[in-house]
Structures are given as C-alpha cells and as structure tokens.
C-alpha cells in the first residue's frame, strides 16, 4: 500500500496530531508530506502528486476550499482523494466542500483511529 499523504493545517499541534496518527502507515510504505498553509499545500500537491490530501479549511493565504478547487482544476488523470478537516461542521460547509471537489468531510476533533482506517482504505484503492 505505498503512497503519499499530503497534510496541511496551519495549527502546529493539529498538524502534529495528524502526523502522529498516520505515522504507523510509514512502515507500510506511505510517505507523509507536511505543509502549514494553503499556498504551500497547493505547491506540494502539484510537485509531489499525492494519493491523499488532508486539508484544514480555515488557513492563511489559501483556504482548504480554494486548494481543493485548484487541485481539481489541474486535471490529473488520477486526482488525489481529498479530505477536508475542519472545526466547522455546518451543512453549508459540507455543501461547499462537495462543490469544490472534496471527497470527504471530517470534523475536528477527529478520532485518530478513524483517520488511520480511512487513509488505509483510500490508499488500498477503496475510495
């Protein structure tokens, strides 16, 4: 199940929690790429061609909605699976996430075990 996961959250402690949650996948050949703002995430998504992108919604420079929309406009043959991770759980935000091409929407606080299981399923082809 090798693959790449791009993680973007502007809050260092949340980014670290996501990293710690997913690091067990590294022993299965998964590479974790960490970024701290939307512009950096978009640049890394274009350079690294990740299989899974986990984006915070509220970030400086470019928010998660804008990054997701830009990734989708890139028109890759195999676009990454995108999870929007946010503390905002309103229906409006879910609809907006869907409209920009997000595959899934998870709210904070998240269950690390669910995040790992979700990532493992996605990287194993169970999109």
């Amino acid at each position: 199940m090798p693959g790449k996961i791009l993680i973007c959250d502007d809050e260092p402690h949340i980014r670290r929690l996501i990293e710690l949650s997913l690091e067990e996948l590294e022993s299965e050949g998964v590479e974790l790429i960490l970024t701290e703002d939307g512009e950096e995430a978009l640049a890394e998504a274009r350079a690294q061609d990740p299989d899974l992108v986990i984006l915070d919604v509220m970030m400086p420079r470019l928010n998660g909605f804008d990054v997701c929309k830009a990734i989708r406009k890139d028109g890759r043959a195999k676009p990454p699976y995108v999870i929007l991770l946010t503390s905002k759980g309103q229906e409006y935000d879910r609809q907006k996430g869907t409209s920009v091409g997000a595959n899934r929407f998870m709210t904070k606080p998240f269950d690390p075990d669910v995040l790992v299981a979700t990532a493992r399923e996605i990287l194993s082809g169970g999109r």
Side-chain angles (χ1 to χ4, degrees), residues 3-6 31 33 41 44-53 71 76 78-81 123 127:
K4 294 181 185 180
I5 300 175
L6 173 64
E31 178 185 348
I33 305 158
E44 287 297 317
R46 289 175 171 157
Q48 299 287 334
D49 197 22
D51 302 287
L52 170 60
V53 177
I71 287 171
R76 294 196 173 171
K78 185 183 171 206
Y81 192 98
L123 295 176
R127 295 177 169 223

Side-chain angles (χ1 to χ4, degrees), residues 8-80:
C8 186
D9 198 301
D10 61 317
E11 296 180 42
H13 63 283
I14 299 292
R15 191 171 54 249
R16 181 70 176 139
L17 179 59
I18 297 168
E19 178 186 22
L20 288 172
S21 299
L22 296 174
E23 73 181 1
E24 72 180 68
L25 299 177
E26 290 179 310
S27 65
E28 299 171 37
V30 174
E31 178 185 348
L32 302 178
I33 305 158
L34 303 173
T35 61
E36 56 188 61
D37 68 53
E39 285 185 2
E40 185 182 3
L42 184 55
E44 287 297 317
R46 289 175 171 157
Q48 299 287 334
D49 197 22
D51 302 287
L52 170 60
V53 177
I54 301 171
L55 295 169
D56 182 22
V57 170
M58 302 302 294
M59 296 185 292
R61 300 169 81 185
L62 279 178
N63 65 42
F65 295 126
D66 292 337
V67 174
C68 183
K69 188 175 183 178
I71 287 171
R72 293 297 181 233
K73 282 187 175 181
D74 283 347
R76 294 196 173 171
K78 185 183 171 206

